[in-house]
Amino acid sequence: MSILEYNGAAIIAMSGKNCVAIASDNRLGISYQTVAMDFQKIFQMNDSLMVGLAGLASDVQTLDQLLRFRMNLYELREERQMTPRVFTNLLSTMLYEKRFGPYFCEPVIAGLDEDGKPFLSTMDLIGAQAAAKDFVVAGTCDGNLYGMCETLYKPDMEEEELFETIAQALLASVDRDALSGWGGVVHVITEKGIVSRELKGRQD
């Protein structure tokens, strides 16, 4: 078993019409043993930017703290909020700096750029970026997530339809993976703000 699969995770980000959604499961496990059902994997960086971290739980929490520190420094120095593209480059650089002893995390970045257009990106554990216009996934059931997203996704969805689509894709995928699940959480980012909703999934 890969160290990336040790704690289990499932994260999706998906774009809509002037909105973007990011969702994750809630499970924290040690291999096949479930330890907690309320583990946070998606973190809000500012009013229009969120990052999901799939991978080793200790590195997820370490990276969250490091990213907040770097974001605060940037905002103090620049007197403006970091855009998703700049944040992606920052995170990519941070991961590549540690490439010989990496953080075992696969980040998923979702946000709205300066023009209010959706921005999605992901990368591997040493910071190799992969941007997308429709959806990005990470975690132990990424094959399931890709299949569900390719089936359900359509361009220019409104907020409600985007929520339904990403929620169904997540729940159907984690039901077929023993390392992730136990419900989930969906965040929809719009120009008005962020709406968060919890999902109830199968408790087995």
Side-chain angles (χ1 to χ4, degrees), residues 93-108:
T93 305
M94 283 171 60
L95 292 174
Y96 192 69
E97 280 172 359
K98 300 280 187 190
R99 62 191 177 280
F100 298 117
Y103 295 113
F104 294 105
C105 277
E106 294 177 326
V108 169

Side-chain angles (χ1 to χ4, degrees), residues 180-201:
S180 57
W182 289 85
V185 60
V186 178
H187 307 279
V188 181
I189 306 169
T190 66
E191 289 180 307
K192 298 174 195 166
I194 298 174
V195 178
S196 303
R197 294 176 182 164
E198 291 184 3
L199 305 175
K200 192 175 194 305

Side-chain angles (χ1 to χ4, degrees), residues 75-196:
E75 286 175 14
L76 280 169
R77 190 179 295 133
E78 300 282 331
E79 296 182 359
R80 62 193 166 113
Q81 287 196 333
M82 196 179 282
T83 64
R85 193 172 302 281
V86 172
F87 178 80
T88 302
N89 291 331
L90 165 71
L91 180 48
S92 177
T93 305
M94 283 171 60
L95 292 174
Y96 192 69
E97 280 172 359
K98 300 280 187 190
R99 62 191 177 280
F100 298 117
Y103 295 113
F104 294 105
C105 277
E106 294 177 326
V108 169
I109 294 123
L112 297 176
D113 63 19
E114 311 93 296
D115 305 319
K117 296 283 183 282
F119 178 91
L120 298 176
S121 179
T122 186
M123 59 191 79
D124 66 3
L125 72 171
I126 58 165
Q129 296 180 33
K133 291 271 187 277
D134 45 10
F135 54 82
V136 289
V137 306
T140 49
C141 60
D142 51 358
N144 303 354
L145 292 166
Y146 269 121
M148 286 305 300
C149 289
E150 284 168 358
T151 304
L152 299 176
Y153 177 81
K154 55 187 184 192
D156 293 331
M157 288 183 283
E158 297 292 341
E159 296 164 35
E160 279 303 313
E161 190 181 5
L162 180 62
F163 164 74
E164 286 292 339
T165 303
I166 199 169
Q168 290 302 322
L170 180 74
L171 291 174
S173 300
V174 298
D175 279 353
R176 291 160 180 81
D177 178 38
L179 296 172
S180 57
W182 289 85
V185 60
V186 178
H187 307 279
V188 181
I189 306 169
T190 66
E191 289 180 307
K192 298 174 195 166
I194 298 174
V195 178
S196 303

